[in-house]
């Protein structure tokens, strides 16, 4: 028997994978988990679509992604007497505290931090199951009074079956540092660029490639010029996923330089596992989950997030010690296969729905 669930997306349809039948408003997908268990995964708020859907389909649970839709999910769960799973990819109140649009007086008024935390506590307590991506997020919710037994950690680890390794290799004429992702103040690239001036005389020559785009990009371009390192910083813009993976292959070290704050202290980026599996040493800032995983897996080096000299020291350590570099590569790849893979985390998710 198969589990069947729906994924709600505005403007979409339901496609029944079992028999190919198309149904308006949603997409039904089958998955081999708990026999005869059916649930709906709801991504966008569309009550009219949901009402029509529940007239034609019977579900056992609603799986809500991220906090804003928690109330909508709870209302439908209560109305139809089914279970609610609240899947929190982010520490939403903390994310809003640092978001650009909440920094103005109007933004702070429209996004009240205390109200978001009250909302989070309320619906975490009302949910039947709560999913978070790291232990630090689980501890935070427990400290807010959410029952420990209902919280499961299902991390955004790598499904190695769907990740194609590249044949591209680093250019021996350079020591290439790679950052890939969004570009804003909280990604911490300003401290990386400031650290490059301490690495101008290395052999091989250090270069930094920044893949991505964002509102902070002009500031970083100016900073690279002001710091006298613009010749060794390449801003490539956004790249398609497959091309990004090729850049990973050509890098000597991959960077996760996020600014340490309440948000980054309770989440984990998917790319940390991609880099480990790709055999790349990681240099990362000291955000709590990142630091814990890097140190546990021995897959990279950690620096204080706002300390450019400490960042430069970490880079120099890997440049000057080939044995260290190889140990980081081997340890990271072994650990991601053994302890930090989707094959492991998916069992936690399956168990949640088979209990």
């Amino acid at each position: 028997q198969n589990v069947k669930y729906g994924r709600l997306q505005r403007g979409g349809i339901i496609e029944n994978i079992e028999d190919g039948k198309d149904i308006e408003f949603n997409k039904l997908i089958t998955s081999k988990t708990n026999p005869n268990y059916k649930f709906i995964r709801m991504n966008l708020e569309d009550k009219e679509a949901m009402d029509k859907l529940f007239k034609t389909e019977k579900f056992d649970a609603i799986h809500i992604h991220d906090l804003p839709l928690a109330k909508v999910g709870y209302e439908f769960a209560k109305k139809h007497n089914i279970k609610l799973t609240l899947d929190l990819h982010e520490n939403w109140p903390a994310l809003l505290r640092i978001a650009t649009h909440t920094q103005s007086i109007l933004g702070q008024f429209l996004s009240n931090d205390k109200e978001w935390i009250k909302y989070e506590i309320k619906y975490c307590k009302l949910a039947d199951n709560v999913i978070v991506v790291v232990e630090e997020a689980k501890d935070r919710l427990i400290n807010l009074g959410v029952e420990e037994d209902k919280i499961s950690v299902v991390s955004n680890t790598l499904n190695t079956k769907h990740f194609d390794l590249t044949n591209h290799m680093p250019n021996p004429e350079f020591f290439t540092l790679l950052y890939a992702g969004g570009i804003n103040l909280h990604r911490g690239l300003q401290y990386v660029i400031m650290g490059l001036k301490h690495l101008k005389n290395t052999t091989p020559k250090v270069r930094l490639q920044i893949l991505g785009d964002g509102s902070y990009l002009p500031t970083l371009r100016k900073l690279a010029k002001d710091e006298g390192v613009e010749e060794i910083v390449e801003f490539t813009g956004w790249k398609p996923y497959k091309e990004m993976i090729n850049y990973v292959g050509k890098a000597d070290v991959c960077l996760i330089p996020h600014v340490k704050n309440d948000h980054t202290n309770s989440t984990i980026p998917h790319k940390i596992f991609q880099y480990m599996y790709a055999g790349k040493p990681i240099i990362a800032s000291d955000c709590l989950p990142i630091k814990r995983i890097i140190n546990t897996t021995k897959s990279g080096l950690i620096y204080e997030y706002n300390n450019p000299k400490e960042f430069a020291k970490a880079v120099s350590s890997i440049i000057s010690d080939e044995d260290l570099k190889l140990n980081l590569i081997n340890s990271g790849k072994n650990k991601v296969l053994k302890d930090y893979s989707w094959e492991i985390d998916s069992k936690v998710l399956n168990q949640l729905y088979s209990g």
Side-chain angles (χ1 to χ4, degrees), residues 30-62:
T30 59
S31 174
K32 294 180 180 178
T33 325
N34 185 37
N36 299 318
Y37 203 93
K38 187 189 293 184
F39 64 97
I40 179 167
R41 176 181 168 191
M42 188 168 132
N43 290 322
L44 292 176
E45 184 174 353
D46 193 332
K47 292 185 178 182
E48 181 181 355
M50 290 291 290
D51 283 330
K52 291 184 178 180
L53 178 63
F54 272 85
K55 291 179 181 179
T56 59
E57 294 287 336
K58 184 180 183 302
F59 293 95
D60 301 291
I62 294 180

Side-chain angles (χ1 to χ4, degrees), residues 262-304:
D262 289 342
H263 177 244
T264 54
N265 277 340
S266 54
T267 189
I268 195 74
H270 178 63
K271 58 191 171 186
I272 188 172
F273 306 112
Q274 292 178 319
Y275 298 158
M276 290 165 63
Y277 184 64
K280 298 299 171 180
I282 301 168
I283 293 179
S285 60
D286 57 341
C287 305
L288 296 181
I290 294 174
K291 180 179 179 180
R292 172 176 56 83
I293 291 174
I294 292 291
N295 287 341
T296 299
T297 59
K298 296 181 172 58
S299 57
L301 300 180
I302 298 293
Y303 67 95
E304 186 180 17

Side-chain angles (χ1 to χ4, degrees), residues 132-142 153 265 289 292:
V132 294
V133 295
V134 286
E135 292 290 344
E136 289 81 357
K138 180 177 180 178
D139 292 342
R140 172 182 169 271
L141 291 181
I142 292 171
V153 177
N265 277 340
R292 172 176 56 83

